[in-house]
């Protein structure tokens, strides 16, 4: 039996994934990764089950474990260039504009497996402001599900991991948030299966209530 979703969480800082959490980029991801899968002789539907949340080279290493890592990094550079140039169908997740606007004066950071160029392009295409604090692919040595990105985001904001709440959509991202010692809000249909502390369909209906003591209460509408 699924545990009931709490009506609220109290935190001091928020760490936000991008793809699938703030920005719906699934159409681009499908196009680019299906082409790559076909070139590698892989089944595209099976590839699509593991691409979300990780940096591209890490996905490639998982799918082709005997291939030299140098080739994975080279393919990843090509993939990032393709994805940055292809913005057709990139839209905000419902509720994202109001959600980010409410967070603007509060401690928050973007923690994404995209590089800065891709993050800038996709956030811009979705009409969303790029947070001033961001941890992108260039900033870390390990991809999600490793917790490095979230731990670095918390440190840059000046908060302990237990004082942060992660917003994520993917299995790798939810695992990374948990490994960092943070509570996780799962966003969208992918997230529900991976045991986040709270699951929401999208970002609409989340109320953000800052307090004078620096705490932030997140209130979630009933499903």
């Amino acid at each position: 039996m699924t545990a009931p979703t709490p009506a609220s969480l109290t935190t001091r800082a928020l760490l936000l994934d991008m793809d699938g959490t703030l920005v719906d980029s699934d159409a681009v991801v499908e196009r680019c990764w299906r082409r790559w899968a076909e070139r590698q002789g892989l089944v595209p539907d099976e590839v699509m089950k593991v691409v979300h949340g990780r940096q591209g080279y890490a996905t490639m290493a998982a799918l082709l474990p005997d291939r030299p890592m140098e080739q994975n990094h080279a393919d990843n550079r090509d993939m990032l260039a393709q994805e940055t140039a292809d913005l057709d169908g990139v839209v905000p997740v419902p509720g994202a504009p109001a959600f980010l606007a409410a967070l603007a004066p509060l401690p928050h950071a973007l923690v994404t497996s995209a590089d800065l160029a891709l993050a800038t392009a996709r956030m811009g295409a979705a009409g969303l402001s790029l947070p001033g604090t961001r941890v992108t692919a260039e900033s870390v040595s390990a991809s999600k599900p490793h917790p490095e990105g979230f731990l670095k985001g918390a440190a840059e904001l000046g908060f302990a991991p237990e004082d942060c709440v992660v917003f994520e959509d993917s299995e790798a991202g939810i695992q990374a948030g948990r490994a960092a010692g943070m509570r996780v809000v799962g966003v969208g249909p992918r997230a529900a299966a991976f045991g986040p502390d709270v699951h929401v369909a999208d970002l609409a209906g989340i109320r953000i209530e800052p307090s004078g003591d620096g705490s932030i209460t997140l209130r979630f509408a009933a499903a």
Side-chain angles (χ1 to χ4, degrees), residues 4 20 27-28 41 46 59 63 74-75 78 90 125 136 142 149 173 181-182 195 203-204 207 210:
V28 180
E46 295 303 310
T59 295
L63 291 166
D75 276 13
D78 291 342
V90 174
T136 57
M182 301 172 183
L203 300 174
R207 294 208 318 274

mmCIF file of all heavy atoms in Angstrom, residues 4 20 27-28 41 46 59 63 74-75 78 90 125 136 142 149 173 181-182 195 203-204 207 210:
data_model
loop_
_atom_site.group_PDB
_atom_site.id
_atom_site.type_symbol
_atom_site.label_atom_id
_atom_site.label_comp_id
_atom_site.label_asym_id
_atom_site.label_seq_id
_atom_site.Cartn_x
_atom_site.Cartn_y
_atom_site.Cartn_z
ATOM 1 N N PRO A 4 0.588 7.655 2.320
ATOM 2 C CA PRO A 4 -0.050 8.909 1.931
ATOM 3 C C PRO A 4 0.970 10.025 1.777
ATOM 4 O O PRO A 4 1.981 10.071 2.476
ATOM 5 C CB PRO A 4 -1.007 9.184 3.096
ATOM 6 C CG PRO A 4 -0.417 8.443 4.259
ATOM 7 C CD PRO A 4 0.230 7.232 3.680
ATOM 8 N N GLY A 20 12.220 17.265 -17.173
ATOM 9 C CA GLY A 20 11.164 16.473 -16.557
ATOM 10 C C GLY A 20 10.662 17.050 -15.255
ATOM 11 O O GLY A 20 9.623 16.617 -14.756
ATOM 12 N N ALA A 27 10.271 15.280 -25.920
ATOM 13 C CA ALA A 27 10.215 15.122 -27.373
ATOM 14 C C ALA A 27 11.619 15.148 -27.980
ATOM 15 O O ALA A 27 11.956 14.334 -28.839
ATOM 16 C CB ALA A 27 9.352 16.224 -27.985
ATOM 17 N N VAL A 28 12.448 16.082 -27.519
ATOM 18 C CA VAL A 28 13.822 16.175 -28.022
ATOM 19 C C VAL A 28 14.635 14.960 -27.593
ATOM 20 O O VAL A 28 15.382 14.371 -28.389
ATOM 21 C CB VAL A 28 14.508 17.451 -27.497
ATOM 22 C CG1 VAL A 28 15.937 17.535 -28.020
ATOM 23 C CG2 VAL A 28 13.726 18.681 -27.896
ATOM 24 N N GLY A 41 22.671 -0.227 -32.877
ATOM 25 C CA GLY A 41 22.025 -1.525 -32.975
ATOM 26 C C GLY A 41 21.268 -1.916 -31.725
ATOM 27 O O GLY A 41 21.032 -3.114 -31.481
ATOM 28 N N GLU A 46 14.035 0.172 -25.257
ATOM 29 C CA GLU A 46 14.805 -0.234 -24.073
ATOM 30 C C GLU A 46 15.765 0.875 -23.656
ATOM 31 O O GLU A 46 15.956 1.129 -22.458
ATOM 32 C CB GLU A 46 15.565 -1.529 -24.367
ATOM 33 C CG GLU A 46 14.675 -2.729 -24.616
ATOM 34 C CD GLU A 46 13.731 -2.996 -23.453
ATOM 35 O OE1 GLU A 46 14.206 -3.041 -22.301
ATOM 36 O OE2 GLU A 46 12.517 -3.152 -23.696
ATOM 37 N N THR A 59 24.867 7.081 -19.323
ATOM 38 C CA THR A 59 23.858 6.229 -19.945
ATOM 39 C C THR A 59 24.506 5.304 -20.967
ATOM 40 O O THR A 59 24.220 4.102 -21.025
ATOM 41 C CB THR A 59 22.786 7.092 -20.628
ATOM 42 O OG1 THR A 59 22.083 7.842 -19.637
ATOM 43 C CG2 THR A 59 21.795 6.234 -21.405
ATOM 44 N N LEU A 63 24.678 1.145 -21.093
ATOM 45 C CA LEU A 63 24.104 0.374 -22.201
ATOM 46 C C LEU A 63 25.159 -0.404 -22.980
ATOM 47 O O LEU A 63 24.873 -1.472 -23.525
ATOM 48 C CB LEU A 63 23.369 1.330 -23.152
ATOM 49 C CG LEU A 63 22.092 1.966 -22.592
ATOM 50 C CD1 LEU A 63 21.668 3.137 -23.467
ATOM 51 C CD2 LEU A 63 20.974 0.935 -22.505
ATOM 52 N N ALA A 74 32.926 11.148 -26.355
ATOM 53 C CA ALA A 74 32.839 11.768 -27.678
ATOM 54 C C ALA A 74 31.393 11.795 -28.173
ATOM 55 O O ALA A 74 30.907 12.826 -28.674
ATOM 56 C CB ALA A 74 33.722 11.009 -28.671
ATOM 57 N N ASP A 75 30.687 10.675 -28.020
ATOM 58 C CA ASP A 75 29.276 10.634 -28.413
ATOM 59 C C ASP A 75 28.447 11.591 -27.569
ATOM 60 O O ASP A 75 27.491 12.205 -28.062
ATOM 61 C CB ASP A 75 28.726 9.209 -28.268
ATOM 62 C CG ASP A 75 29.026 8.333 -29.476
ATOM 63 O OD1 ASP A 75 29.853 8.738 -30.313
ATOM 64 O OD2 ASP A 75 28.432 7.241 -29.567
ATOM 65 N N ASP A 78 28.656 15.066 -28.922
ATOM 66 C CA ASP A 78 27.794 15.191 -30.094
ATOM 67 C C ASP A 78 26.325 15.276 -29.689
ATOM 68 O O ASP A 78 25.553 16.071 -30.245
ATOM 69 C CB ASP A 78 27.994 14.002 -31.032
ATOM 70 C CG ASP A 78 29.355 14.003 -31.706
ATOM 71 O OD1 ASP A 78 30.002 15.075 -31.733
ATOM 72 O OD2 ASP A 78 29.771 12.939 -32.192
ATOM 73 N N VAL A 90 10.054 21.854 -26.681
ATOM 74 C CA VAL A 90 10.483 22.123 -25.307
ATOM 75 C C VAL A 90 9.523 23.141 -24.674
ATOM 76 O O VAL A 90 9.374 24.251 -25.164
ATOM 77 C CB VAL A 90 11.925 22.667 -25.276
ATOM 78 C CG1 VAL A 90 12.308 23.083 -23.862
ATOM 79 C CG2 VAL A 90 12.897 21.611 -25.798
ATOM 80 N N ALA A 125 13.988 28.353 -23.927
ATOM 81 C CA ALA A 125 12.915 27.913 -24.826
ATOM 82 C C ALA A 125 11.605 27.742 -24.078
ATOM 83 O O ALA A 125 10.520 27.946 -24.634
ATOM 84 C CB ALA A 125 13.308 26.605 -25.508
ATOM 85 N N THR A 136 25.840 22.309 -13.097
ATOM 86 C CA THR A 136 25.625 21.678 -14.398
ATOM 87 C C THR A 136 26.668 20.581 -14.612
ATOM 88 O O THR A 136 27.499 20.314 -13.749
ATOM 89 C CB THR A 136 25.699 22.723 -15.523
ATOM 90 O OG1 THR A 136 26.970 23.389 -15.452
ATOM 91 C CG2 THR A 136 24.584 23.749 -15.377
ATOM 92 N N ALA A 142 31.020 13.266 -11.326
ATOM 93 C CA ALA A 142 30.216 12.044 -11.366
ATOM 94 C C ALA A 142 28.769 12.393 -11.681
ATOM 95 O O ALA A 142 28.230 13.385 -11.187
ATOM 96 C CB ALA A 142 30.297 11.303 -10.034
ATOM 97 N N GLY A 149 26.312 16.197 -7.289
ATOM 98 C CA GLY A 149 25.663 17.420 -7.747
ATOM 99 C C GLY A 149 24.800 18.062 -6.682
ATOM 100 O O GLY A 149 24.853 19.288 -6.464
ATOM 101 N N GLY A 173 17.881 10.505 -10.508
ATOM 102 C CA GLY A 173 17.844 11.732 -9.731
ATOM 103 C C GLY A 173 17.321 11.526 -8.327
ATOM 104 O O GLY A 173 17.850 12.097 -7.360
ATOM 105 N N GLY A 181 21.284 12.500 1.321
ATOM 106 C CA GLY A 181 20.668 12.699 2.627
ATOM 107 C C GLY A 181 19.565 13.734 2.630
ATOM 108 O O GLY A 181 19.279 14.343 3.668
ATOM 109 N N MET A 182 18.925 13.912 1.483
ATOM 110 C CA MET A 182 17.885 14.931 1.326
ATOM 111 C C MET A 182 16.521 14.290 1.110
ATOM 112 O O MET A 182 16.422 13.162 0.628
ATOM 113 C CB MET A 182 18.230 15.825 0.128
ATOM 114 C CG MET A 182 19.574 16.524 0.274
ATOM 115 S SD MET A 182 20.086 17.389 -1.237
ATOM 116 C CE MET A 182 21.710 17.982 -0.744
ATOM 117 N N GLY A 195 9.694 5.889 -5.107
ATOM 118 C CA GLY A 195 9.619 6.129 -3.679
ATOM 119 C C GLY A 195 10.031 7.497 -3.184
ATOM 120 O O GLY A 195 10.705 7.592 -2.150
ATOM 121 N N LEU A 203 4.072 20.904 -11.147
ATOM 122 C CA LEU A 203 4.384 21.936 -10.155
ATOM 123 C C LEU A 203 3.205 22.859 -9.866
ATOM 124 O O LEU A 203 3.324 23.754 -9.020
ATOM 125 C CB LEU A 203 5.585 22.760 -10.634
ATOM 126 C CG LEU A 203 6.866 21.948 -10.836
ATOM 127 C CD1 LEU A 203 7.956 22.827 -11.441
ATOM 128 C CD2 LEU A 203 7.340 21.335 -9.522
ATOM 129 N N ALA A 204 2.101 22.647 -10.539
ATOM 130 C CA ALA A 204 0.914 23.456 -10.272
ATOM 131 C C ALA A 204 0.325 23.080 -8.915
ATOM 132 O O ALA A 204 0.337 21.920 -8.516
ATOM 133 C CB ALA A 204 -0.128 23.250 -11.369
ATOM 134 N N ARG A 207 2.183 25.381 -2.982
ATOM 135 C CA ARG A 207 2.293 26.701 -2.361
ATOM 136 C C ARG A 207 3.613 26.791 -1.619
ATOM 137 O O ARG A 207 4.003 25.867 -0.902
ATOM 138 C CB ARG A 207 1.134 26.964 -1.395
ATOM 139 C CG ARG A 207 -0.208 27.064 -2.082
ATOM 140 C CD ARG A 207 -1.186 27.954 -1.331
ATOM 141 N NE ARG A 207 -1.171 27.765 0.107
ATOM 142 C CZ ARG A 207 -1.895 26.841 0.764
ATOM 143 N NH1 ARG A 207 -2.647 26.006 0.078
ATOM 144 N NH2 ARG A 207 -1.847 26.761 2.081
ATOM 145 N N PRO A 210 7.343 31.202 2.773
ATOM 146 C CA PRO A 210 8.541 31.501 3.567
ATOM 147 C C PRO A 210 8.173 32.030 4.944
ATOM 148 O O PRO A 210 7.123 32.658 5.132
ATOM 149 C CB PRO A 210 9.251 32.572 2.740
ATOM 150 C CG PRO A 210 8.176 33.212 1.928
ATOM 151 C CD PRO A 210 7.127 32.161 1.688
#
